[in-house]
Amino acid sequence: MIESIVGPDLPPARAVELVADLHRLLDELQTVDLSPCTDAELTEVAAATERAITRLTVAGDRQIDHAEARDLPRTTGCRTLTQFMTHRLRISNPMRRRKQMDATATRTSLGGEKLPPEHPCLAEAFAQGTVGTAHVQATLDVLDRIPGTVDHDVKVAAERQMAEIAEAHTPADISQLGARLLAHLDPDGTLADDTDQKRRRNLWIGRQRADGTAKLTGTLTPELAARVTMLLAVWATPGMNNPNDPYSPTGSVEDADPEALAAAAERDDRTPAQINHDALNALLKAVLDDGLLGKSHRGLPVQLIIKADLGDLIREAGLATTATGTLLPIPDLIAMAGDVQPWLAIFKDATAVPLYFGRGRRLATREQRLTSFARPDGEVCSAPGCDQPATQVELHHAHKDWAKGGFTDIDDLAPACPRHNRMVGPKPGQYTTRIVRSGPDEGRCVWRLNAEPGAPPNPEHLNRRPDIPTRLTAHLEQVRREIHGRNMSGAEARPDPLPVWPIIDYRPIVIRPLKPGQVYTPVEACLAELLAQN
């Protein structure tokens, strides 16, 4: 078919010969016997084939660019390049392909000039085959949502970090990590201030359908989102507030009888969405029954656990993280935190190693759970790619299982959601975990998926979601050095994150009367005593 478009008296172009050779290789590759390959060779062949597929896409993008420069769409009868790509090249999604080309391909202008790709780091990874088309599309979806008013050097640093993320994560992870990056780019609300948030806030109850149901839709402010997620964390639990079960406990899971709750959870066949619905319904019913409606000026009582950097609190800028995984701007936190109970967690250097250790029992204490959440990586499950928040995790004996003689020491524990915690074990398909004892990741939990005996071992992985802000800072510093030829200092530099993380348990402070002869201990004395004990 390729030879038929070449004139009989003209030798074929080198590109035509290469494509013909490629198809001959593909014919053989599709039918070659794979049984002589060892497991390691087959794994490498499959991975190399996927890289080749990506590199072929890069070559195809270059060919499409040349076709456009030659005005081939018009000469072939197509009105636009998109129509040419759809009908002549049979590209399934030409609009996304053109967007991909603009971002990663070296294009040719109408005057014949070569235009560099919009995102050079992503383009380089794509050309090498280390990221695929789906990774590129997910990365572009994130980069396109960066506000236009963000400084150029920040955009360059963000593009470098997203290219780095794309090379090591799945498309779903890229979207998840990108959302965290986007939140970090404008933590102070300078690009989308609270006025804009209030303007977009809405809550709609649609018209009732024939069966009486109605659809609830809305856009929540960060404050309301934090409250709602906390409500669902304690009321929307399997077995709780089930209208189909007369023996189901009602109210908060903290007040339920453990045995009754376990029995109700076994009988619970509701979906997560139905559980959320029933929890909200039970809460509103309790509000009505208690006569609280109309008495609360600001709605539901706030019960939040919030982690914030001390430097951000001092600057009144940045983002706090709730135990449900909700990102809360510091100004909103300050406005909410009229009466709080503060906790202070201190860590070794800038690692995730806390200076307070707890021992003596199998289950983690309340203080250990707060300390775990306070860690720089404690806001989510430690398993790679998992985004379950601190309210949904257990403390996993990551260094050595309790049944095998492990200790319930805070430096041997790691947050793990129930699903990943149950997947830890010695069998193939299960995970092996350990705690990093040195280096920049000291104190963090790494996960390795167990392979079959004799098979090549899988690599260890960390959950890099909590690293997004610090990695962006590193990329931004490098970009600024390249642009300005010097280190930023003084007012131009942003303060480095401090290795001190206050934990705010959002409940009213209870002042107990002093015993005879007792005096209040200053915070400085408490810290000195704590450091002396460790």
Side-chain angles (χ1 to χ4, degrees):
M1 179 178 178
I2 297 178
E3 290 79 6
S4 64
I5 63 175
V6 181
D9 300 327
L10 297 176
R14 180 58 179 160
V16 175
E17 295 177 343
L18 288 175
V19 171
D21 292 338
L22 173 64
H23 280 281
R24 283 191 289 270
L25 286 173
L26 289 175
D27 289 339
E28 184 177 357
L29 186 60
Q30 290 174 348
T31 58
V32 66
D33 184 11
L34 299 176
S35 57
C37 293
T38 65
D39 291 349
E41 289 174 339
L42 183 58
T43 301
E44 181 56 33
V45 166
T49 300
E50 293 301 318
R51 290 196 298 272
I53 292 172
T54 297
R55 298 188 67 187
L56 281 174
T57 304
V58 174
D61 290 346
R62 178 169 172 264
Q63 294 156 13
I64 294 172
D65 175 68
H66 277 255
E68 183 180 28
R70 296 188 185 191
D71 200 19
L72 281 182
R74 183 187 60 81
T75 59
T76 56
C78 299
R79 294 189 303 272
T80 62
L81 177 63
T82 300
Q83 190 179 30
F84 174 80
M85 295 167 66
T86 301
H87 299 287
R88 190 67 179 88
L89 306 183
R90 299 182 60 80
I91 294 175
S92 58
N93 195 330
M95 295 301 295
R96 291 186 71 89
R97 184 69 174 271
R98 289 197 64 178
K99 179 181 177 181
Q100 171 185 292
M101 291 173 57
D102 291 337
T104 62
T106 300
R107 306 298 304 276
T108 305
S109 68
L110 294 177
E113 300 175 3
K114 294 296 182 181
L115 305 177
E118 295 176 356
H119 303 299
C121 293
L122 185 63
E124 181 180 357
F126 193 42
Q128 294 174 353
T130 55
V131 300
T133 301
H135 301 82
V136 171
Q137 299 293 355
T139 303
L140 294 181
D141 289 342
V142 173
L143 295 175
D144 288 347
R145 295 202 302 272
I146 296 177
T149 53
V150 169
D151 294 336
H152 172 70
D153 54 356
V154 178
K155 290 182 180 179
V156 174
E159 189 264 340
R160 290 189 181 185
Q161 179 164 12
M162 288 308 303
E164 178 184 90
I165 290 172
E167 291 188 79
H169 294 82
T170 66
D173 291 339
I174 293 171
S175 300
Q176 176 196 126
L177 297 172
R180 178 66 180 89
L181 175 62
L182 290 171
H184 184 75
L185 290 180
D186 184 30
D188 305 333
T190 56
L191 304 179
D193 57 18
D194 56 352
T195 302
D196 191 54
Q197 293 176 353
K198 292 177 180 178
R199 178 180 57 83
R200 293 199 303 264
R201 77 189 189 280
N202 63 77
L203 189 67
W204 292 100
I205 300 179
R207 293 183 178 180
Q208 284 185 300
R209 304 183 182 98
D211 60 355
T213 60
K215 187 174 182 179
L216 179 70
T217 59
T219 299
L220 311 183
T221 60
E223 178 182 351
L224 180 56
R227 288 189 170 120
V228 170
T229 53
M230 189 62 204
L231 156 69
L232 297 180
V234 296
W235 283 59
T237 301
M240 291 294 302
N241 302 301
N242 188 350
N244 302 325
D245 185 356
Y247 302 103
S248 170
T250 59
S252 170
V253 67
E254 301 297 330
D255 301 327
D257 177 74
E259 295 182 2
L261 176 59
E266 289 292 331
R267 301 188 299 268
D268 197 345
D269 59 354
R270 297 173 297 170
T271 65
Q274 291 171 335
I275 293 175
N276 290 343
H277 172 277
D278 295 340
L280 179 61
N281 183 55
L283 176 70
L284 295 178
K285 182 178 183 299
V287 171
L288 291 171
D289 292 344
D290 292 343
L292 298 178
L293 192 61
K295 296 180 181 179
S296 175
H297 176 66
R298 301 189 67 180
L300 302 174
V302 180
Q303 295 179 353
L304 295 176
I305 300 175
I306 306 172
K307 175 171 66 175
D309 185 277
L310 182 59
D312 290 341
L313 287 174
I314 294 173
R315 295 186 299 116
E316 298 187 9
L319 289 171
T321 305
T322 71
T324 57
T326 302
L327 298 176
L328 195 65
I330 293 295
D332 289 350
L333 169 61
I334 295 174
M336 295 168 60
D339 296 307
V340 299
Q341 174 64 53
W343 293 70
L344 187 65
I346 303 177
F347 294 87
K348 175 184 176 183
D349 302 323
T351 67
V353 181
L355 296 184
Y356 171 80
F357 304 91
R359 305 178 186 272
R361 53 185 292 172
R362 180 178 182 274
L363 299 179
T365 64
R366 175 175 178 267
E367 289 76 14
Q368 286 178 319
R369 288 188 62 88
L370 284 172
T371 303
S372 175
F373 173 57
R375 294 156 51 135
D377 63 337
E379 63 199 54
V380 292
C381 171
S382 59
C386 186
D387 62 348
Q388 288 295 306
T391 54
Q392 304 295 332
V393 303
E394 303 162 348
L395 286 190
H396 161 56
H397 290 77
H399 177 64
K400 189 176 183 181
D401 189 74
W402 172 266
K404 297 181 179 179
F407 294 99
T408 310
D409 296 345
I410 190 61
D411 59 334
D412 286 346
L413 301 175
C417 67
R419 181 174 72 91
H420 282 108
N421 203 359
R422 290 192 297 268
M423 294 175 67
V424 176
K427 299 179 180 179
Q430 294 181 314
Y431 284 97
T432 297
T433 61
R434 68 177 180 89
I435 298 293
V436 180
R437 296 303 187 190
S438 61
D441 293 319
E442 181 182 3
R444 300 183 66 172
C445 179
V446 292
W447 295 65
R448 183 199 296 273
L449 185 63
N450 299 334
E452 292 282 351
N458 292 311
E460 293 181 325
H461 291 286
L462 281 164
N463 191 340
R464 290 298 183 185
R465 187 179 190 274
D467 298 336
I468 294 296
T470 55
R471 289 297 299 151
L472 177 66
T473 300
H475 283 293
L476 183 55
E477 290 176 354
Q478 177 64 26
V479 169
R480 286 173 171 169
R481 282 194 296 269
E482 294 173 2
I483 293 177
H484 302 285
R486 59 186 174 86
N487 292 328
M488 304 295 287
S489 60
E492 296 176 325
R494 299 183 180 180
D496 294 329
L498 299 177
V500 180
W501 295 75
I503 297 299
I504 299 175
D505 188 351
Y506 196 92
R507 291 180 293 187
I509 298 176
V510 178
I511 304 298
R512 297 179 175 83
L514 296 175
K515 297 179 180 179
Q518 183 181 6
V519 295
Y520 289 115
T521 304
V523 174
E524 293 80 6
C526 292
L527 292 177
E529 181 181 355
L530 175 62
L531 293 174
Q533 293 174 356
N534 293 276

